[in-house]
Amino acid sequence: MRAEQPQAVHLADYRVPAFLIDHVDLRIELFEDCALVHSRLNIRRNPADESQARDLVLNGEELGLESLMLDGRPVENHRVDEGFLTVPSVPEHFHLDVTTRIHPRDNTRLEGLYQSSGMFCTQCEAEGFRRITYFPDRPDVMACYRTRIEADREAYPVLLANGNPVDWGELEDGRHQVTWEDPYPKPSYLFAMVAGDLVEKRDEFVTGSGRTIDLRMYVEARNEAKCEHALASLKKAMAWDEEVYGREYDLDIFMVVAVDDFNMGAMENKGLNIFNSSCVLASPETATDAAYDRIESIVAHEYFHNWSGNRVTCRDWFQLSLKEGFTVFRDNQFSADMGSPTVQRIDHVNMLRTAQFAEDAGPMAHPVRPDSYIEIANFYTLTVYEKGAEVVRMIHTLLGPDMFREGSDLYFARHDGQAVTTDDFVRAMEDASSRDLTQFRRWYEQAGTPELRVTDAFDAESGTYTLTIRQSCPATPGQSHKEPFHIPVRMGLIASDGEALPLDAEQNTETVLELTDTEHSFQFSGLAERPVPSLLRGFSAPVKLDYSWTRDQLMFLMSRDPDGFNRWDAGQKLAVDVILSIQQGRDTEVDPRLVEAYRTLLTTPGLDRAMVARMLALPSTAWLIELTDEADVAAIDGARHQVEQTVARALRDELLQVRADHHPGGDYAFEPGQVAARSLSNSALALLTRIGDDQGRDQALAQFDQATNMTDRLAALKALVDSPFSQEREDALARFHADWQHDPQVVEQWFAAQSGSPWIGNVNRVTELLAHPAFDWKNPNKVRMVIGVFAGRNLTHFHSPDGSGHRFLGEQIRRLDAFNPQISAQLAQPLTRWRQYAPHLRDSMAGVLRELRDLPDLSRDLYEVVTKSLG
Ligand code: PHE
Ligand code: ZN
């Protein structure tokens, strides 16, 4: 147990800042073993602060205070406590000069200023700036920054910070300086600087108003050939934000930097976005289609933050979803416009329903706008990001695209340069549309996934069809009772001949039902027969929906529903029913209708291949666990495996035909048609190798040798890894490593192919990977690819009945917590859902959590996760 218990911060305790800072002048001297940070702050009392506090209190962590002057005179009566610097009785206006000494080389938490493969970089969100200098490190203190960086010219020729370069030159001892000025006031979490020996890739973008923006990407020389896709994505995002939201870029330069050691995906620092290398670098030979797709959306996401996050920021960290939910919604819209909207939606909902629903049903469940936290780094969650985006999407559905755009225009106009709340966002949407969103606000306040229970009745005599929908929401920590939500349900009715039926006098065949009460009935008249309902089209609300479709109805919807998302979802529901029936002993054989439905998909000409690939993928083990109480993972896995084997054996000829029809030859392009073709062909290959088919094996080996892009090469490798061909598998793994050991992003994939494999990724294999020379404890990507992928995606071995997977994870978390608490707390996530599992698994997971809780020097981050999970 920790010596002192970390305290929670509450939204209800929010007070305006006592002091405001108008200007920050930084001079940062970089040396090999330390950095000196000289800061001058122009400070004034906040007229809005009623407490009229006399003492100035600044945040600071792990800082050596070298000097402190107030209006040019040394301060003597200050106090330095754990986390704070207090200067008693300060005047109304003054300037404070602070010099701190920090040690970037020893900064293993990767928060604040640190070193990553020889370069210096920063990560300040959420509370990293206080590890650089003393400051009121909260997002509602916004200031203009001027930053001068000094370093050895040869080792660090490139010196970057936010804004525009305004001065540069040589210094003594082979050193040089560059000074940057950012004219836009910003919170400290958006501060950034970089120093390194980096190559610069340039491009440009001309805005709608005719300004030319310099785009610059900075990478290590070995990555020079991996910048093109990110720059192309950036330009698309810039054009899209002008077109769809009317938002133009505001500085003259936009910079993107790639760093290898990074706790998260990327960071939207003003004018200087910093990316995890794996979320920005790509070339056809080294990155898969999935990586291209991810990079396009993350580059866009960070760029979009320039308005939704930077120009308008968060008042406090409880409002995190203000910027993240809205920006994820924006990047989802962008990705939909760049490729297939339906496929994009399917992939997104699939992730939301498995991972975010699990979070919402577990001990860490919290509202989109949480009420309290111990460590804010633990609240960069799927709920804040993904459910937050769904909440914005529902507003978009309720208002329609035009009103929504008016609402967003009003929001940006009204709050430009301010730090605001989710409520301000909703109010702008209300004011622009005259819609009352009072009840809708509960989506921000109440945690948990609502459940809709749907029943229906058909009166043949009058031709009236009645849908009755009851909503409820399970209790979550601290919230035992929930008020009804305002839920948009997009739907349609389908006749037995597949015709979409008119729902109203205007002959619309689709409508949005708005649920506001606990129970609602909706009537549709003039129908000749009982229709099949198609509900929650496009997943119009983040809810669980229960309606007793028959298997025949699901098959019908799989091919006839005009909504592509619902066609996919009907297939998922059918497969879930088939798998769980086998697992629970209700069926012994795989329902042949499932096989026939898949056969139809594979043989119907003209279907979108990306859709077919999604529809052929059986529901994941994670989703099946989510749908099961007391989940027995081995039993679920066994049933899923039986269904997969049966389907793949029965469809062998069709799968081979898919392979024959598809030739990914020619030059690689990240383009929807090619991506779809590769994804279907590689899904077919995986199924063929999994049933041990010799032709499948030969094709995998040939593809592994001949592939000209990483999508096909890695697909072939994974097909061999997850197959009974043990000799071929080990040969391919060895060759792949030999060929790509110089490239960290590819080595990450090599690790994940093993740690994520239900065939080979057992504790012994994963333990071996930790001992591999390419594994690096200090690199979060390697840690995630081995330990995170094992615990998060390889449920077969992580939940090994003997508890070895759980114990393995516990040991690694313990080790990591000593030097990178954000990563250790992230990795503990899979243990938090222990109550969802069968008794033997539950006990072993809780046991590991208890051991962690009892450690003497647990970090705040991990403390919060383990105590809340057990509590
Ligand atoms: N704000 C970043 C994003 O969503 C995520 C992030 C959070 C990165 C905290 C680093 C630290 O784009
Ligand atoms: Zn973000």
Side-chain angles (χ1 to χ4, degrees), residues 125 266 268 301-302 305 323-324 327-328 385:
E125 185 176 5
E268 70 265 24
H301 177 102
E302 305 312 328
H305 268 315
K323 72 178 177 82
E324 297 304 348
T327 304
V328 171
Y385 275 67

Side-chain angles (χ1 to χ4, degrees), residues 513-734:
L513 308 176
E514 294 191 26
L515 311 184
T516 47
D517 292 336
T518 304
E519 183 172 311
H520 245 123
S521 285
F522 302 91
Q523 291 203 330
F524 304 90
S525 50
L527 302 173
E529 54 165 4
R530 174 186 274 274
V532 178
S534 160
L535 303 171
L536 208 67
R537 285 182 172 172
F539 204 64
S540 62
V543 299
K544 293 185 182 168
L545 185 122
D546 176 62
Y547 171 80
S548 42
W549 278 285
T550 63
R551 287 187 185 176
D552 283 330
Q553 284 179 321
L554 291 172
M555 287 189 52
F556 172 80
L557 290 173
M558 265 177 93
S559 58
R560 308 305 280 271
D561 198 314
D563 185 71
F565 174 84
N566 272 11
R567 281 202 298 282
W568 170 79
D569 199 29
Q572 290 287 296
K573 289 190 165 84
L574 178 64
V576 164
D577 192 37
V578 168
I579 296 169
L580 292 183
S581 298
I582 287 184
Q583 190 239 317
Q584 292 155 7
R586 280 179 281 128
D587 280 348
T588 46
E589 300 288 309
V590 177
D591 189 334
R593 286 176 293 182
L594 182 69
V595 176
E596 291 320 309
Y598 288 161
R599 196 187 312 277
T600 306
L601 281 171
L602 286 171
T603 52
T604 306
L607 295 181
D608 171 4
R609 294 191 225 203
M611 267 300 273
V612 175
R614 297 315 186 275
M615 292 191 73
L616 274 184
L618 289 178
S620 66
T621 303
W623 177 229
L624 295 164
I625 290 172
E626 177 57 28
L627 294 172
T628 316
D629 293 327
E630 308 227 324
D632 178 342
V633 180
I636 290 175
D637 236 16
R640 188 181 182 281
H641 184 74
Q642 183 188 335
V643 173
E644 188 173 73
Q645 292 284 314
T646 305
V647 167
R649 290 216 163 85
L651 298 176
R652 175 182 182 266
D653 293 344
E654 286 81 359
L655 293 169
L656 284 168
Q657 195 58 45
V658 163
R659 294 282 302 169
D661 291 347
H662 161 80
H663 289 290
D667 283 347
Y668 175 92
F670 176 66
E671 165 276 308
Q674 276 200 18
V675 172
R678 280 189 288 268
S679 100
L680 181 56
S681 169
N682 287 327
S683 303
L685 182 64
L687 286 169
L688 289 165
T689 51
R690 253 171 257 168
I691 55 170
D693 189 84
D694 286 344
Q695 242 175 295
R697 174 200 56 201
D698 294 345
Q699 291 193 11
L701 288 169
Q703 180 170 319
F704 182 73
D705 282 337
Q706 292 152 20
T708 55
N709 62 73
M710 186 49 79
T711 307
D712 287 333
R713 177 161 288 121
L714 191 67
L717 177 70
K718 284 186 177 165
L720 292 167
V721 167
D722 293 339
S723 81
F725 304 114
S726 49
Q727 190 58 46
E728 287 84 348
R729 161 208 306 154
E730 297 305 329
D731 286 351
L733 280 168

Side-chain angles (χ1 to χ4, degrees), residues 20 136 178 220 403 427 444 627 651 662 679 691 716 820 844:
L20 299 177
V178 181
E220 289 169 62
M403 282 297 176
R427 190 161 318 110
Y444 287 95
L627 294 172
L651 298 176
H662 161 80
S679 100
I691 55 170
N820 190 336
S844 111

Side-chain angles (χ1 to χ4, degrees), residues 123-126 189 262-268 274 298 301-302 305 320 323-324 327-328 377 380 385 822:
Q123 175 49 48
C124 294
E125 185 176 5
Y189 82 85
F262 203 75
N263 283 343
M264 310 281 272
M267 180 63 212
E268 70 265 24
I274 298 183
I298 298 181
H301 177 102
E302 305 312 328
H305 268 315
L320 183 55
K323 72 178 177 82
E324 297 304 348
T327 304
V328 171
Y380 287 77
Y385 275 67
Q822 279 189 15

